[in-house]
């Protein structure tokens, strides 16, 4: 599903190259649950953003379902990313001005899905996540765990093949964190590929493979 | 999709209440100012354009070389002669506007706008008839045409055609039959009339038929469409049958479409409404500047607000928004907020338009404002504003990478800071320029008011008797008034200070060949004493002891110099012996320098009376004068005014200008302050963390306030300095209109700078102080 060949990322600033990622070679198959670990500044998030097509690598090749992402125009990238990839963040990143229902609806609006179908999909998901009663609340009226639930619901509403989670439990207490991890596990069992960045050994265990990053290198 | 955009836009407006209201109010004021100005300018430039043949209508004028001026008064028989000779002239109409009294049964009104003219006027100007048919030559001179509103005033709903009106003009009285009713003449017309009657019944008509006479009649001329106006003017220049060769006088056709903005004495104020083109320019520039300030404010605040919403934009990108989607969202939000300002702006225009037009002394019809053309225009302007602001916001965000946004990598480089500083500087440059100009204008007006006129203009009462036999009774009247101890002195004559009319004599100075243009004043023996004019040498008429037969005069200092007279006293000047020389005094207004003047002793031709009264008991004195003047004025009290009021009235154009300009300056300052306030909210919000850290490190509140104010104050001082050369250049141009004007002191510049600093400090001081007083624990955790 995902193939990275010699991916590097650096920032150039007056003749000094600051490397974030160096020569990353990685292959991820459909249905895997990968945990990326490493100290702060190791390049974990950058790797996740590059895989998620929100950022581009400075060097190297990236194939997504055998399509060369590194050669794609921005419009194609956006299309690919919006139909195949869902994101979950440590800070939830919900739109504060929209209600739970509207937050869930927004990705579907951008996919140009018809109103009736859209309403059905949102209602299904609200039901599945037990949030029907909270659909008209705004994000700041919810607890952190509930916000993260909404964020995950929003990430999977377009039925993506790949979910990228950047420390999804980082801001939650352990009970809520566990709940979220269980949910991700369940999604993985249903066939969604998941890549998560985490600091917690315990959470990493939910995955079936652990990649350790240090100073931009993958530790073997 | 659009519904979702609108929803989030409205929620955002509600969420950032302060931002949104500043944004909307600022733009509302800007749009309203712009719209009012637009209406004003369109009104001004539409004058006389209602005439379908406007490009072929001319006014016959006489140019007098030596006065370097021309007059619109021509001999009455001239037009017919010209028409005979030059086939390009299709038609003509002579015209004068007179005060009349019109009576129908028990309805009697004094009417000021009664046009005495030829039937040709109906062919030349576009004056559509509502009822009846316009007169032609065979209709004789017993007809009258009235306007719709006059028909309403005199007859109500009764059919007016065929009714007979009694018209009284001077001593003459006529019964005239209404043959037509015309639609009201547009407000934007230099030709104005409520009644149109044959010129031949004007009481002055027959008395002024001589070709040597230049009476107060205007002549409209209609040329054929193909006529060559330059060629015709050339031919008219050589038309010598009538011209007074001695004065080097030539006839000339002046386009009617240029009358409204024409400067100079050619077009008399009594006949024509007058526009001031430079005021139109200045007002429109001021309005555009205010609009620019409000637009910049709008842009700055939109960017400020967007910068707080960058996270949302990043999230939208991540969950699948294409650039196009974001572009639409930004445009819709921008247009929405613009239209939220448009509605109150239109209401504001509706409310303020009458006040504004009253202030500048014009009357813009409100139908003008309600026409769909203007609605369309307003919407168009709003769309443009909304689009510009949307594009600007778009340019700010479209390059941002979602990964950068979400990881709070600050991408705003120093370039952007400079650009924003320029955006703050522009409003300050504009309003400091306006403040500078306002101070100068008000100083000039004060100068007018306090200027030494060369005589004592206080406590002088000015009378214009309109009783024809008054000359004979003058001394009886004078003696009666002088018996009151509150009346210090009394003098009479023609062309006195405070009067608008001129009388000139052009002749060579004694003993030389050079021509001198001198003004002639006629006065009785107490003139110098009453006005308290300072003498340079010689005697006044009273000191000299004039008698009825004395042919003596007093000249002013300018005349002395212009004629280069070595020992003036005792010399003959144009038939009058010089007995004294006065210091220069101002006869007309401060717009022109004092001209050579000759005051001739003449107690026989009295058109004005000047009375000096005691400063105490003014009301009683006036009452006394008024009561006692009745018997010399057909039983009516004479109409009087204070001379200093009359002199001030000469500057009413300038006073009005200053008022309008002051209002503009006030508007500019308030809109700019709104913008600077909004910007400071945003800038300080960006620095809250920095301020918090500094505070933890031990910075004092004072130093923190200084820190936030420093940048903006520096920007304002630099902006003010940039303003000065431009503002100085422009205002100096305006000052050139006056022969007597103020000089620039350093303090005008200092005062402007001080003013700007105070305004800026007052605007952002509260925000800066609040930020500095904030609990650092809170501000550091803010991120």
């Amino acid at each position: 599903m995902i193939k990275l060949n010699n991916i590097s990322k650096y920032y150039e600033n007056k003749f000094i190259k600051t490397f974030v990622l160096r020569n990353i070679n990685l292959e991820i198959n459909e249905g895997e649950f990968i945990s990326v670990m490493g100290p702060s500044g190791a390049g974990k998030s950058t790797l996740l953003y590059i895989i998620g097509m929100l950022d581009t690598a400075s060097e190297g090749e990236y194939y997504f379902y055998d399509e060369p992402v590194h050669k794609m125009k921005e419009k194609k990238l956006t299309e690919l990313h919006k139909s195949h990839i869902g994101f979950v963040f440590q800070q939830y990143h919900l739109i504060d001005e929209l209600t739970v229902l509207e937050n869930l609806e927004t990705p579907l609006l951008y996919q140009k899905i018809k109103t009736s179908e859209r309403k059905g999909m949102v209602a299904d998901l609200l039901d599945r996540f037990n949030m029907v009663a909270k659909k008209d609340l705004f994000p700041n009226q919810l607890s952190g765990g509930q916000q993260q639930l909404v964020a995950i619901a929003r990430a999977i509403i377009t039925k993506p093949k790949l979910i990228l989670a950047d420390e999804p439990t980082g801001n939650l207490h352990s009970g809520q964190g566990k709940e979220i991890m269980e949910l991700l596990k369940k999604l993985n069992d249903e066939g969604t590929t998941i890549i998560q960045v985490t600091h917690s050994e315990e959470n990493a265990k939910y995955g079936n493979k652990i990649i350790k990053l240090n100073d931009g290198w993958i530790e073997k | 999709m659009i519904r979702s955009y609108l929803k989030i836009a409205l929620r955002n407006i509600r969420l950032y209440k302060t931002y949104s209201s500043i944004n909307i109010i600022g733009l509302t004021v800007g749009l309203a100012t712009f719209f009012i100005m637009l209406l004003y300018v369109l009104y001004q430039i539409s004058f006389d354009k209602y005439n379908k043949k406007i490009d072929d209508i001319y006014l016959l004028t006489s140019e007098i070389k030596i006065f370097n001026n021309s007059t619109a008064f021509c001999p009455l028989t001239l037009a017919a002669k010209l028409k005979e000779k030059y086939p390009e002239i299709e038609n003509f109409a002579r015209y004068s506007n007179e005060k009349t009294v019109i009576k129908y049964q028990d309805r009697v009104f004094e009417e000021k706008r009664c046009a005495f003219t030829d039937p040709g006027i109906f062919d030349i100007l576009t004056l559509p008839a509502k009822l009846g048919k316009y007169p032609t030559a065979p209709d004789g001179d017993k007809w009258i045409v009235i306007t719709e509103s006059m028909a309403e005033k005199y007859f109500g709903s009764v059919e007016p055609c065929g009714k007979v009106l009694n018209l009284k003009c001077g001593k003459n009285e006529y019964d005239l039959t209404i043959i037509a009713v015309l639609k009201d003449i547009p407000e934007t017309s230099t030709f104005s009339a409520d009644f149109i009657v044959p010129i031949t019944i004007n009481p002055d008509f027959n008395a002024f038929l001589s070709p040597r006479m230049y009476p107060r009649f205007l002549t409209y001329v209609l040329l054929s469409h193909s006529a060559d106006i330059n060629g015709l003017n050339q031919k008219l220049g050589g038309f010598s049958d009538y011209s007074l060769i001695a004065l080097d006088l030539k006839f000339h056709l002046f386009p009617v479409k240029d009358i409204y903005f024409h400067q100079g004495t050619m077009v008399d104020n009594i006949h024509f409404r007058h526009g001031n083109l430079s005021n139109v320019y200045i007002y429109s520039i001021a309005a555009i500047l205010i609009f620019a300030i409000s637009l910049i404010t709008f842009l700055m605040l939109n960017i400020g607000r967007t910068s707080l919403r960058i996270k949302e934009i990043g999230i939208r990108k991540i969950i699948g928004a294409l650039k196009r989607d974001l572009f639409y969202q930004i445009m819709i939000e921008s247009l929405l907020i613009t239209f939220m300002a448009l509605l109150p702006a239109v209401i504001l225009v509706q409310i303020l338009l009458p006040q504004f037009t009253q202030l500048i002394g014009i009357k813009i019809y409100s139908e003008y404002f309600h026409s769909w053309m203007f609605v369309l225009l307003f919407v168009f302007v709003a769309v443009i504003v909304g689009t510009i602001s949307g594009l600007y916001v778009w340019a700010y965000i479209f390059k941002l990478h979602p990964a950068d946004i979400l990881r709070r990598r600050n991408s705003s480089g120093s370039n952007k800071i400079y650009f924003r500083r320029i955006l703050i500087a522009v409003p300050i440059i504009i309003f400091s320029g306006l403040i500078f100009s306002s101070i100068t204008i008000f100083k000039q007006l004060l100068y007018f008011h306090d200027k030494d006129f060369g005589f004592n203009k206080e406590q002088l009462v000015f009378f214009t008797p309109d009783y024809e036999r008054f000359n004979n009774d003058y001394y009886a009247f004078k003696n009666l008034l002088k018996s009151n101890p509150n009346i210090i002195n009394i003098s009479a004559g023609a062309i006195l200070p405070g009067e608008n009319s001129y009388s000139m004599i052009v002749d060579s100075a004694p003993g030389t060949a050079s021509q001198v243009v001198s003004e002639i004043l006629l006065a009785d023996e107490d003139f110098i004493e009453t006005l308290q004019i300072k003498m340079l040498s010689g005697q006044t008429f009273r000191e000299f002891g004039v008698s009825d037969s004395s042919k003596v005069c007093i000249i002013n200092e300018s005349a002395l110099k212009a004629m280069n007279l070595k020992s003036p006293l005792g010399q003959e000047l144009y038939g009058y012996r010089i007995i004294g020389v006065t210091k220069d005094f101002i006869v007309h207004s401060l717009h022109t320098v004092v001209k050579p003047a000759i005051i001739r002793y003449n107690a026989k031709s009295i058109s004005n009376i000047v009375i000096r009264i005691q400063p105490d008991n003014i009301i009683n004195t006036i009452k006394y004068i008024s009561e006692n003047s009745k018997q010399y004025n057909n039983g009516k009290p004479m109409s009087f005014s204070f001379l200093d009021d009359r002199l001030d009235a000469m500057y009413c154009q300038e006073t009005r200008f200053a008022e309008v300009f002051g209002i503009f300056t006030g508007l500019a300052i308030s809109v700019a302050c709104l913008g600077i306030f909004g910007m400071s909210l945003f800038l300080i919000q960006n620095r809250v963390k920095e301020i918090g850290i500094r505070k933890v490190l031990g910075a004092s509140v004072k130093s923190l306030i200084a820190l936030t104010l420093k940048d903006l104050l520096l920007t304002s001082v630099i902006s003010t300095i940039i303003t000065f050369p431009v503002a100085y250049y422009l205002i100096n141009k305006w000052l050139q209109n006056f022969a007597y004007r103020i000089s620039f002191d350093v303090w005008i510049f200092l005062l402007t700078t001080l003013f700007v600093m105070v305004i800026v400090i007052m605007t952002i001081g509260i925000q800066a102080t609040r930020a500095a007083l904030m609990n650092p624990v809170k501000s550091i955790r803010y991120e």
Side-chain angles (χ1 to χ4, degrees):
Chain A
M1 182 188 197
I2 290 168
K3 198 165 184 250
L4 302 179
N5 290 338
N6 286 323
I7 289 284
S8 290
K9 175 79 179 173
Y10 50 80
Y11 296 98
E12 251 172 315
N13 191 5
K14 285 185 189 162
F15 315 112
I16 300 169
K17 273 188 188 177
T18 317
F19 275 91
V20 185
L21 291 174
R22 301 171 201 252
N23 290 330
I24 303 288
N25 288 298
L26 191 63
E27 202 171 336
I28 294 165
N29 298 316
E30 219 163 343
E32 278 193 299
F33 190 152
I34 311 268
S35 301
V36 181
M37 297 192 73
S40 287
K44 306 183 299 288
S45 297
T46 306
L47 180 62
L48 208 64
Y49 285 133
I50 289 175
I51 293 174
M53 301 167 198
L54 294 176
D55 210 345
T56 47
S58 313
E59 279 167 16
E61 296 173 328
Y62 171 18
Y63 294 94
F64 188 78
Y65 283 114
D66 298 329
E67 284 192 75
V69 174
H70 53 277
K71 287 180 186 161
M72 279 180 196
K73 290 260 166 60
E74 194 179 328
K75 205 170 171 187
K76 184 89 197 292
L77 270 179
T78 318
E79 282 299 331
L80 203 61
H81 134 238
K82 87 175 178 190
S83 54
H84 288 90
I85 300 169
F87 265 96
V88 179
F89 300 92
Q90 181 182 356
Q91 303 89 343
Y92 330 127
H93 286 332
L94 297 172
I95 299 178
D96 297 331
E97 291 82 12
L98 296 181
T99 63
V100 168
L101 186 134
E102 288 159 352
N103 261 296
L104 294 181
E105 203 178 16
T106 310
L108 301 177
L109 285 170
Y110 288 129
Q111 303 256 14
K112 309 260 179 313
I113 289 171
K114 276 194 219 106
T115 314
S116 53
E117 201 181 334
R118 201 170 67 219
K119 297 273 184 232
M121 289 167 84
V122 174
D124 278 353
L125 211 61
L126 284 170
D127 206 25
R128 187 170 152 200
F129 279 70
N130 283 326
M131 288 188 300
V132 179
K134 299 197 169 64
K135 69 176 168 41
D136 291 326
L137 296 182
F138 286 93
N140 56 14
Q141 294 167 306
L142 300 174
S143 74
Q146 288 166 332
Q147 287 191 48
Q148 195 61 297
L149 271 180
V150 179
I152 293 174
R154 186 183 63 183
I156 65 168
I157 197 161
T158 55
K159 306 204 170 68
K161 293 275 195 301
L162 174 66
I163 286 182
L164 300 170
D166 192 353
E167 296 192 45
T169 63
N171 276 3
L172 303 176
H173 61 72
S174 56
Q176 288 173 328
K178 202 168 170 225
E179 206 180 314
I180 296 295
M181 288 316 298
E182 294 290 346
L183 178 61
L184 288 177
K185 182 76 194 144
K186 202 173 147 216
L187 290 170
N188 180 240
D189 291 343
E190 286 163 12
T192 314
T193 311
I194 292 176
I195 303 174
Q196 69 157 343
V197 165
T198 183
H199 279 297
S200 141
E201 293 283 351
E202 202 179 318
N203 289 345
K205 282 178 196 147
Y206 283 90
N208 47 22
K209 194 163 150 193
I210 293 176
I211 295 169
K212 290 210 165 166
L213 271 182
N214 202 351
D215 250 354
W217 303 97
I218 290 187
E219 280 182 17
K220 293 280 149 97
Chain B
M1 200 62 155
I2 286 178
R3 245 185 56 207
S4 153
Y5 291 157
L6 284 177
K7 195 156 49 181
I8 195 159
L10 284 172
R11 277 187 202 155
N12 257 309
I13 288 168
R14 231 178 298 146
L15 191 68
Y16 301 105
K17 275 192 206 79
T18 325
Y19 268 117
S20 311
S21 34
I22 291 175
N23 222 354
I24 293 173
I25 293 170
L27 191 62
T28 299
V29 175
L31 282 174
T33 314
F34 185 69
F35 289 156
I36 289 183
M37 253 329 106
L38 203 63
L39 287 169
Y40 166 76
V41 171
L42 287 174
Y43 169 86
Q44 292 279 354
I45 61 172
S46 70
F47 256 81
D48 287 333
K49 304 288 188 301
Y50 73 96
N51 287 302
K52 293 201 178 86
K53 300 175 186 164
I54 185 69
D55 290 328
D56 302 317
I57 307 174
Y58 293 85
L59 207 59
L60 196 52
T61 63
S62 329
E63 267 181 14
I64 306 163
K65 269 267 172 60
I66 191 140
F67 293 141
N68 201 8
N69 214 330
S70 54
T71 162
F73 302 144
C74 297
L76 279 172
T77 48
L78 176 66
K81 272 266 163 64
L82 290 177
K83 185 170 182 257
E84 230 165 73
K85 199 161 175 188
Y86 305 111
E88 298 97 307
I89 297 177
E90 283 193 343
N91 212 337
F92 68 89
R94 297 156 297 179
Y95 151 69
S96 86
N97 210 340
E98 308 287 346
K99 217 193 277 180
T100 57
V101 174
I102 289 180
K103 193 166 108 182
Y104 175 73
Q105 292 171 355
D106 56 338
R107 278 170 222 189
V108 188
F109 298 98
E110 193 183 80
E111 298 292 354
K112 288 194 178 122
R113 307 204 306 171
C114 183
F116 290 75
T117 181
D118 293 305
I121 201 82
F122 299 109
D123 171 37
I124 298 168
L125 303 179
T126 305
L127 304 169
K130 201 185 160 211
L131 293 169
K133 269 175 92 178
Y134 287 143
T136 47
D139 283 315
D141 56 6
K142 291 286 174 223
W143 53 266
I144 182 168
V145 174
I146 67 177
T147 62
E148 242 178 301
S149 25
M150 288 305 122
E152 175 75 33
K153 180 172 162 188
Y154 281 86
F155 303 102
S157 54
V158 179
E159 159 75 44
C161 287
K163 299 275 186 313
V164 174
L165 287 178
N166 177 275
L167 176 138
K168 200 174 156 201
C169 182
K171 282 170 275 182
N172 303 22
E173 230 176 287
Y174 307 94
D175 286 325
L176 305 170
T177 311
I178 299 173
I179 61 166
V181 174
L182 60 92
K183 290 199 177 129
D184 284 339
I185 297 169
E187 188 61 29
T188 50
S189 170
T190 50
F191 171 86
S192 62
D194 294 324
F195 299 88
I196 299 176
V197 298
I199 190 165
T200 43
I201 64 169
N202 186 306
D204 285 340
F205 185 76
N206 288 314
F208 284 101
L209 277 173
S210 148
R212 308 289 286 177
M213 303 269 216
Y214 287 72
R216 302 173 63 85
F217 286 87
L218 303 175
T219 310
Y220 283 102
V221 170
L222 178 69
L223 299 189
S224 61
H225 197 61
S226 55
D228 164 27
I229 176 65
N230 291 329
L232 189 58
N233 265 332
Q234 208 111 61
K235 284 189 259 177
L236 287 186
F239 184 85
S240 54
D241 302 22
Y242 276 64
S243 49
L244 303 166
I245 307 294
L247 271 179
D248 201 2
L249 185 146
K250 280 176 180 165
F251 300 118
H252 182 85
L253 289 173
F254 187 87
V256 165
K257 61 170 184 261
D258 295 342
I259 289 178
Y260 184 65
F261 286 126
H262 185 73
Q263 301 274 350
T265 54
M266 183 209 84
V267 183
D268 196 281
N269 280 323
I270 298 166
H271 285 88
F272 287 125
R273 304 190 41 205
H274 226 253
N276 184 328
L277 193 58
S278 72
N279 278 6
V280 172
Y281 283 136
I282 292 171
Y283 292 163
S284 359
I285 289 170
I288 288 170
L289 289 181
I290 292 173
F291 188 51
I293 294 180
S294 79
L295 202 61
I296 288 171
T297 302
F298 188 64
L299 293 184
M300 289 195 304
L301 291 185
N302 275 346
I303 287 288
R305 215 164 51 91
T306 309
S307 73
L308 299 179
R309 289 179 52 196
I310 279 191
K311 193 188 108 187
E312 180 204 322
I313 288 153
I315 297 170
R316 282 181 182 273
K317 275 196 166 176
I318 285 165
I319 57 175
L322 296 177
K323 280 194 170 170
R324 200 180 54 210
D325 297 318
L326 293 176
F327 179 74
Y328 288 151
Q329 182 180 358
I330 282 161
M331 278 302 173
I332 286 171
E333 280 185 26
S334 177
L335 286 171
L336 179 77
I337 205 156
T338 312
F339 276 91
M340 286 177 84
L342 178 65
L343 191 70
V346 170
I347 296 171
L348 206 62
V349 172
Q350 188 88 292
I351 296 169
L352 293 182
L353 195 60
Q355 262 99 336
F356 174 73
T357 52
Q358 202 183 8
L359 180 69
I360 60 171
I362 62 166
K363 195 171 157 196
I364 297 175
Y365 276 138
S366 53
E367 298 96 76
Y368 205 61
F369 171 63
H370 286 299
S371 75
W372 61 270
M373 272 277 290
F374 279 99
V375 175
L376 221 64
L377 194 65
F378 291 171
V379 171
F380 178 72
V381 171
V383 168
I384 298 275
V385 170
T387 309
I388 290 174
S389 132
L391 286 176
Y392 182 60
V393 172
W394 177 242
Y396 172 69
I397 64 152
F398 102 110
K399 276 198 184 135
L400 295 176
H401 259 282
D404 294 341
I405 295 173
L406 295 182
R407 289 155 83 183
R408 298 219 178 82
R409 214 177 278 147
N410 197 357
S411 64
S412 70
S414 53
N415 273 343
K416 274 187 184 146
I417 302 240
Y418 277 122
F419 185 60
R420 235 168 272 160
R421 205 170 270 173
I422 291 173
L423 278 188
I424 292 195
V426 170
I428 298 178
I429 288 178
I430 294 173
F431 84 69
S432 58
L434 289 173
I435 291 175
F436 176 76
S437 311
S438 292
I439 294 176
T440 316
I441 290 168
F442 280 99
K443 205 181 165 212
Q444 174 71 21
L445 279 184
L446 273 181
Y447 174 79
F448 275 162
H449 195 77
D450 299 339
K451 165 86 182 156
D452 181 12
F453 275 61
F455 63 91
N456 180 0
K457 62 190 167 86
E458 313 295 325
Q459 279 96 43
L460 281 176
V461 181
F462 193 88
F463 278 87
T464 307
D466 54 1
Y467 180 42
E468 55 274 13
R469 286 198 308 114
F470 188 78
N471 273 348
N472 304 332
D473 297 336
Y474 170 60
Y475 280 99
F477 177 64
K478 184 169 176 167
N479 288 333
L480 180 67
L481 289 194
K482 273 194 132 175
S483 64
N484 184 325
N486 282 322
I487 292 170
I488 302 171
N489 221 327
I490 170 165
S491 174
I495 330 284
L496 302 182
E499 243 185 292
N500 282 325
S501 30
Y502 292 77
S503 167
M504 299 289 190
I505 187 166
V506 188
D507 211 334
S508 52
T512 62
S514 65
Q515 298 267 311
V516 177
V517 181
S518 320
E519 188 157 3
I520 301 287
L521 284 72
L522 305 177
D524 77 346
E525 63 282 348
D526 288 322
F527 180 68
I528 303 288
E529 283 80 3
T530 307
L531 265 68
Q532 297 177 352
I533 295 168
K534 294 182 193 84
M535 293 296 286
L536 207 62
S537 63
Q539 292 170 302
T540 67
F541 293 136
R542 163 102 17 222
E543 287 161 355
F544 177 80
V546 282
S547 67
D548 274 2
S549 56
S550 301
K551 291 199 82 176
V552 291
C553 69
I554 296 173
I555 60 172
N556 70 356
E557 206 179 338
S558 294
L560 185 74
K561 284 178 190 150
M563 296 175 186
N564 202 13
L565 299 174
K566 291 287 173 284
S567 48
L569 300 182
Q571 277 203 48
E572 286 269 315
L573 184 62
Y574 313 142
Y576 289 75
R577 190 147 60 92
I578 301 171
I579 58 160
V581 180
T582 68
K583 284 192 173 167
D584 278 346
F585 58 95
I586 287 158
V587 183
H588 296 294
S589 81
L590 296 171
H591 293 86
T592 48
V593 280
V594 172
K595 288 198 187 74
I598 304 167
I599 311 158
R600 287 181 179 163
Y601 170 69
N602 184 333
K604 290 257 151 43
S605 85
I606 289 168
S607 58
N608 289 293
I609 302 168
V610 178
I611 302 170
R612 178 169 299 284
I613 60 173
Q614 294 280 10
D616 325 307
N617 260 329
I618 289 179
I619 296 174
N620 283 334
T621 315
I622 294 293
K623 217 159 145 191
Y624 176 81
I625 298 172
S626 194
E627 284 302 312
N628 286 294
S629 66
K630 275 184 190 168
Q631 53 177 305
Y632 300 102
N633 198 39
N634 276 341
K636 282 185 296 181
M638 289 185 205
S639 60
F640 69 90
S641 52
F642 282 91
L643 189 70
D644 49 354
D645 289 345
R646 285 180 78 103
L647 292 173
D648 281 347
M650 288 178 176
Y651 310 106
C652 83
Q653 273 248 355
E654 280 75 25
T655 315
R656 206 175 258 173
F657 174 76
E659 279 172 14
V660 175
F661 203 85
I663 289 173
F664 276 140
T665 309
L667 274 177
I669 292 174
S670 23
V671 176
C673 283
L674 271 179
I676 293 168
F677 178 76
M679 252 337 251
S680 71
L681 275 180
F682 160 65
L683 286 177
I684 289 170
Q685 205 146 5
N686 275 355
R687 294 182 77 169
V688 159
K689 195 173 175 189
E690 179 199 338
I691 290 169
I693 293 169
R694 282 175 189 270
K695 211 170 175 184
V696 169
L697 294 176
S700 70
V701 171
K702 226 194 286 171
S703 72
L704 288 174
I705 296 175
L707 178 77
T708 34
L709 284 181
K710 197 184 71 191
D711 260 10
L712 214 52
L713 280 184
L714 195 69
T715 311
S716 2
V717 172
I718 294 172
S719 311
T720 316
I721 291 168
I722 293 173
T723 311
F724 284 142
V726 182
Y728 174 80
Y729 171 77
L730 292 176
I731 202 70
N732 209 19
K733 247 183 149 172
W734 179 78
L735 284 177
Q736 300 304 317
N737 288 330
F738 311 103
Y740 299 93
R741 53 184 179 261
I742 54 162
S743 53
F744 285 97
D745 301 329
V746 185
W747 75 263
I748 299 188
F749 296 93
L750 289 179
L751 192 67
T752 308
T753 316
L754 191 72
F755 225 142
V756 171
M757 303 266 277
V758 168
I759 289 171
V760 169
I761 289 175
M762 285 199 328
T763 312
I764 59 170
I766 297 169
Q767 286 303 314
T769 314
R770 195 186 283 170
L773 289 175
M774 212 177 189
N775 185 348
V777 177
K778 237 176 165 177
S779 47
I780 291 176
R781 262 176 51 185
Y782 169 81
E783 276 283 301

